[in-house]
DNA sequence: ACGCTCGGTTCGATGACTGAACCTATCGTC
DNA sequence: GACGATAGGTTCAGTCATCGAACCGAGCGT
């Protein structure tokens, strides 16, 4: 958010948060990371984001400790970007934002989020009404809804047609 | 978000939400509205936002049904911007975002949010642990914390030094 | 008639985003 | 060992949003 004006005068943790994740595309990158996307190229294709912007976002997210860059093979050298604790902690925000967007601006259910242990659909705060608990991110099961119409040329889009747990890494190779 | 590229390809309610409230300053305007700010000039001074940008944000927020423009006196004609249901529904998102920012990027408590009925501090989801309920926005009491250091020339900043309920309109006149 | 406040609009300069092209290293294949 | 493909970027020109300051008009109060 290095624009002439930052939110410096705002003594407010919302403003601080927005300085870090408030830029265009940033929260969508984090969303994809929660969905299990880890590689530069997968982000690129699934988001349709300009390459330069993606590189910039991955760098600042890494610098802020939200993603961690990690080598997963040596030859050829390839890195992946994995969410840290701090990044995973953005799930409630994304959940709330998504619930608001769905409630007010979307028709047709695009995805369902369920408690993997019992199959109950999550409430607006990411809680399981049946178990009476906040569901840990890794126990959230994501399923496609009827309103979903995936892009056939995008392997990530197709991979998201199967029920998956959040954070479970994508297997793009055999896609 | 009328940039060359919108988030059109994203079949996702998070992306839809971000198209509406994802622009710079927008969520801070909504935050101030929750805090009780209603007038153009109060937003202007408290946010330190360029006038043209504020005018644009107020217009799109009104167009999207998040704020409502309402005449509060006839002579001279003056309008105020008040949150609608749809705008108030953004509270959980802002609460989650603020909790994340405070947890990871702020030192010193800036504000406390409590359940007005019982004084218990709100949990990260805006719930009252003691009463076991999600606290309605109008029953949230906001109090200044020790880390707060208000701008003395800004009447809104000073008004926020007193405990206040969310949505309670500001009285800027006698400030 | 004068200045003040409120709520804007206009405008030039700056900076972020976009899309396309280019680049490097490594692999698999012939 | 030349050839093309793939992953992960960087560079660059053009466009669009944001910034800050100036201007504007209606309706006060005096």
């Amino acid at each position: 958010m290095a624009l002439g004006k930052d939110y410096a005068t705002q003594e407010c943790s919302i403003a601080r948060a927005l300085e870090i994740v408030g830029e265009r595309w940033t929260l969508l990158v984090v969303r994809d990371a929660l969905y299990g996307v880890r590689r530069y190229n997968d982000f690129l294709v699934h988001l349709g984001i300009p390459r330069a912007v993606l590189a910039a976002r991955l760098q600042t997210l890494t610098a802020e400790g939200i993603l961690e860059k990690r080598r997963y093979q040596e030859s050829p050298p390839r890195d992946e970007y994995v969410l840290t604790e701090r990044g995973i902690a953005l799930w409630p925000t994304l959940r709330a934002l998504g619930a608001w967007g769905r409630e007010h601006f979307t028709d047709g259910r695009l995805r369902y989020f369920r408690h993997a242990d019992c199959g109950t659909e999550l409430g607006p705060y990411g809680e399981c009404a049946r178990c009476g608990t906040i569901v840990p991110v890794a126990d959230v099961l994501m399923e496609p809804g009827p309103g979903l119409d995936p892009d056939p040329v995008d392997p990530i889009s197709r991979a998201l047609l199967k029920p998956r747990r959040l954070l479970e890494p994508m297997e793009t190779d055999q896609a």
Side-chain angles (χ1 to χ4, degrees), chain A:
Chain A
M1 194 127 300
L3 212 41
K5 180 110 186 186
D6 57 13
Y7 298 142
T9 63
Q10 303 296 319
E11 286 206 298
C12 171
S13 49
I14 297 173
R16 298 281 299 108
L18 286 173
E19 282 192 35
I20 294 160
V21 297
E23 286 176 306
R24 197 157 152 70
W25 294 109
T26 301
L27 279 178
L28 293 182
V29 171
V30 174
R31 177 205 63 181
D32 269 19
L34 278 164
Y35 288 0
V37 177
R38 298 184 163 193
R39 299 185 194 174
Y40 182 92
N41 222 48
D42 291 343
F43 285 111
L44 195 70
V45 172
H46 187 233
L47 290 171
I49 182 177
R51 306 175 78 88
V53 177
L54 175 59
R57 294 296 180 273
L58 290 175
Q59 199 174 347
T60 64
L61 284 171
T62 304
E64 296 292 353
I66 293 162
L67 294 177
E68 193 184 10
K69 189 171 183 172
R70 193 154 84 184
R71 178 140 306 181
Y72 68 91
Q73 71 177 30
E74 285 299 335
S75 170
R78 290 282 181 265
D79 297 316
E80 59 186 3
Y81 295 89
V82 186
L83 282 174
T84 62
E85 276 294 312
R86 184 178 281 185
I88 294 173
L90 277 168
W91 165 243
T93 301
L94 286 170
R95 170 79 195 153
L97 195 60
W100 181 80
R102 175 169 64 75
E103 180 80 15
H104 294 278
F105 296 98
T106 313
D107 30 34
R109 293 299 297 275
L110 298 174
R111 293 182 210 289
Y112 299 100
F113 294 91
R114 302 183 186 282
H115 187 190
D117 294 358
C118 71
T120 310
E121 200 176 351
L122 262 54
Y125 302 93
E127 83 280 14
C128 174
R130 178 144 132 212
C131 306
T133 53
I134 298 291
V135 178
V137 176
D139 292 340
V140 173
L141 190 69
M142 177 170 55
E143 287 180 5
L148 205 58
D149 168 37
D151 178 356
V153 306
D154 170 19
I156 305 298
S157 210
R158 277 186 290 138
L160 290 176
L161 289 178
K162 295 189 204 140
R164 301 172 40 78
R165 282 184 188 235
L166 291 187
L167 298 178
E168 186 185 326
M170 290 277 170
E171 300 303 331
T172 38
D173 308 300
Q174 83 278 17

